[in-house]
Amino acid sequence: MSKLDTLLEELVTANRILAREEVVDSFGHISARHPERPDRFLLSRARAPDCIERDDLMEYGLDGELVDARGRKSYLERFIHAAVYEQKPAVQAVVHNHSPSVIPFGVTGHKLKPLLHTCACMGHEVPIWDSGDKFGDTNMLVSSMDMGRDLARRVGEGRTALLRGHGSVVTAPDIRQAVYIAVYLEVNARLQMQAMAMGTIKFLTKGEVDKILESTGPVAFDRAWENWCRRAGRPVGEMTGV
Ligand SMILES: [Zn+2]
C-alpha cells in the first residue's frame, strides 16, 4: 500500500475509534496532513464519524477549500484544520470535537489540568479560545479562515485548546497520538470533575508531566490503538512501536 493508502485507512479507523470511545458523536472530526503534499490535508465529507468510509475522505488546501468536491458536502468547521496546518508545520493530525466533559472547563474558569499519568499527553496548559472576544455573537461555529487562524494562534505551542461553549481542538504529530490525546483529554475532564466534588486536587507537577511526555512513545500509542481498533471493529494496521 502507498503512504497515502495507509493514511486513508488509518483516518477511517480514527473516525470510528473516536465515535466508539464517545469523543465524537454525530458531530466532530479528525483530519490528517497529506503525506506527500504538506500543503493539503484529508478530511471526511460532512458525515457522522461512525459512518465514514474511505471514499468519504477528501483533499483540502490550507485555505480550507476542496481540491475535488465531486458533489460531496464539506464540514463547515474545516477551517479549524486548515488554519492549524497552515500555522503549525509539525502538526500532522487534528481532532475537533464537542466531547461533553470538557465543556464545563471552557465556561466556569476552572482550568483543565492533568491529574492522571495517561492524561499528561494533553500538555501543561489547555488554553481557552473565546470566539466572542474577537468575533462577538456568532453561532459558535468556526466558519471562516479568520476564526480558524485566531483559534490556531490560541493553541500556540501547546497541543490542545478548549473552545468556550463549544468543544476542543487537539493537534498531534500523527493520527494515533491525536486519537490518544483526544480520548485522554475527555477522561481527564471527567475525572477532574469527580475529584473536584471530593475535595482539593493534587495535580501532576510540571516536572512529572515533562517526564511522562519524554517517556511516552509509540509502544504506548500502539497498545492503545490496538485496543481501540478491536473495540471499533477495525484492522490494526502496522504496529510501529513493537
Ligand atoms: Zn465544533
Side-chain angles (χ1 to χ4, degrees):
M1 267 205 298
S2 73
K3 264 187 177 175
L4 179 59
D5 286 334
T6 304
L7 184 130
L8 290 170
E9 284 300 322
E10 193 126 329
L11 196 51
V12 170
T13 301
N15 273 282
R16 305 287 186 81
I17 288 173
L18 291 173
R20 176 69 179 78
E21 302 305 320
E22 300 185 345
V23 174
V24 296
D25 49 15
S26 304
F27 304 96
H29 17 89
I30 177 167
S31 67
R33 197 187 290 271
H34 194 296
E36 285 133 21
R37 292 279 311 255
D39 58 338
R40 291 185 181 177
F41 67 95
L42 301 143
L43 176 68
S44 173
R45 71 180 170 101
R47 197 173 194 196
D50 204 30
C51 305
I52 287 169
E53 306 285 351
R54 182 167 158 165
D55 199 40
D56 295 320
L57 301 174
M58 307 193 288
E59 275 186 42
Y60 290 85
L62 299 192
D63 55 359
E65 298 305 326
L66 264 171
V67 173
D68 175 19
R70 287 194 275 142
R72 298 170 292 181
K73 284 220 163 19
S74 299
Y75 293 121
L76 180 64
E77 295 194 289
R78 61 193 181 275
F79 301 107
I80 296 172
H81 304 263
V84 169
Y85 292 123
E86 180 190 63
Q87 287 186 21
K88 294 163 74 82
V91 169
Q92 300 296 325
V94 176
V95 179
H96 167 58
N97 68 79
H98 318 124
S99 65
S101 304
V102 303
I103 302 301
F105 295 95
V107 298
T108 57
H110 286 285
K111 277 189 146 184
L112 184 59
K113 293 195 287 190
L115 52 63
L116 169 67
H117 65 99
T118 45
C119 302
C121 59
M122 65 202 258
H124 297 282
E125 289 285 330
V126 183
I128 296 167
W129 180 71
D130 187 335
S131 56
D133 288 347
K134 186 167 175 194
F135 300 96
D137 289 343
T138 65
N139 65 359
M140 306 305 287
L141 302 178
V142 182
S143 56
S144 69
M145 277 307 286
D146 250 11
M147 295 180 83
R149 286 175 179 136
D150 197 52
L151 167 58
R153 278 192 289 273
R154 195 81 187 97
V155 176
E157 294 308 304
R159 302 166 160 219
T160 59
L162 303 188
L163 287 63
R164 193 264 301 167
H166 181 169
S168 63
V169 60
V170 167
T171 70
D174 60 50
I175 290 174
R176 293 184 188 190
Q177 283 192 67
V179 168
Y180 188 94
I181 297 168
V183 168
Y184 281 112
L185 190 69
E186 171 68 10
V187 167
N188 197 94
R190 193 166 62 241
L191 291 174
Q192 191 171 332
M193 285 191 287
Q194 290 168 356
M196 281 163 68
M198 294 172 69
T200 305
I201 302 173
K202 184 162 186 182
F203 291 99
L204 300 183
T205 66
K206 183 174 180 311
E208 286 169 341
V209 171
D210 284 338
K211 287 199 165 154
I212 295 164
L213 291 177
E214 278 165 25
S215 61
T216 307
V219 172
F221 302 133
D222 276 1
R223 193 197 299 191
W225 180 260
E226 182 184 26
N227 178 41
W228 290 329
C229 283
R230 180 72 62 93
R231 285 161 59 83
R234 287 282 300 171
V236 177
E238 192 187 347
M239 296 284 277
T240 52
V242 178

